Amino acid sequence: MPSTNDKDRLDQQFDRLQKRLPGPFRRLVGWLRKPKMIWVRIPVALLFFAAGFLGFLPILGFWMAPLGVLLLAEDIPFLRSPVRRLMVWLEGLWDRWKRRKKKGGKRR
């Protein structure tokens, strides 16, 4: 059974992500992460996940499925560790891309 350590580590990763978001999104994510918002978070997560499979339609996109999994990981213990590892990997990828972009911008 996953430990509370998984929950703490996922929360730390969510905090890091939340700090990088623009103001309105930061507040929305903070609101959705509150423990009492489980009654909103789970239906929204399931809706995003399902809508992700309709990505070929306008407005809806494949990006919605991973967002739904991120939200579900807040409440489903067996998702916490893999989602946290994926978030760490993506954050590193993003940081490397930004550094490379910044480094390339100085050459011009």
Side-chain angles (χ1 to χ4, degrees):
M1 177 172 218
S3 67
T4 57
N5 192 30
D6 285 338
K7 174 73 169 132
D8 294 339
R9 292 169 77 185
L10 180 64
D11 282 341
Q12 288 173 353
Q13 205 57 40
F14 265 121
D15 290 341
R16 290 171 60 112
L17 173 66
Q18 193 172 340
K19 286 177 185 174
R20 291 179 170 206
L21 295 173
F25 292 110
R26 184 180 308 137
R27 286 188 293 278
L28 177 63
V29 169
W31 180 76
L32 277 173
R33 289 183 60 210
K34 291 180 182 177
K36 65 181 180 180
M37 289 295 117
I38 190 170
W39 61 273
V40 174
R41 188 172 47 247
I42 289 181
V44 167
L46 293 173
L47 183 65
F48 274 144
F49 188 73
F53 291 103
L54 302 174
F56 56 88
L57 297 173
I59 299 174
L60 301 177
F62 297 112
W63 60 270
M64 295 177 96
L67 185 59
V69 172
L70 280 174
L71 287 173
L72 283 174
E74 190 74 20
D75 301 302
I76 300 177
F78 72 85
L79 287 176
R80 290 178 184 152
S81 183
V83 166
R84 183 193 56 78
R85 284 193 309 270
L86 180 63
M87 288 175 74
V88 168
W89 180 75
L90 288 172
E91 183 180 25
L93 196 66
W94 177 257
D95 289 342
R96 284 190 300 278
W97 178 79
K98 281 178 38 179
R99 278 195 305 269
R100 201 173 307 132
K101 183 179 171 190
K102 188 176 182 179
K103 194 175 187 181
K106 289 182 179 178
R107 290 182 189 164
R108 292 179 186 184

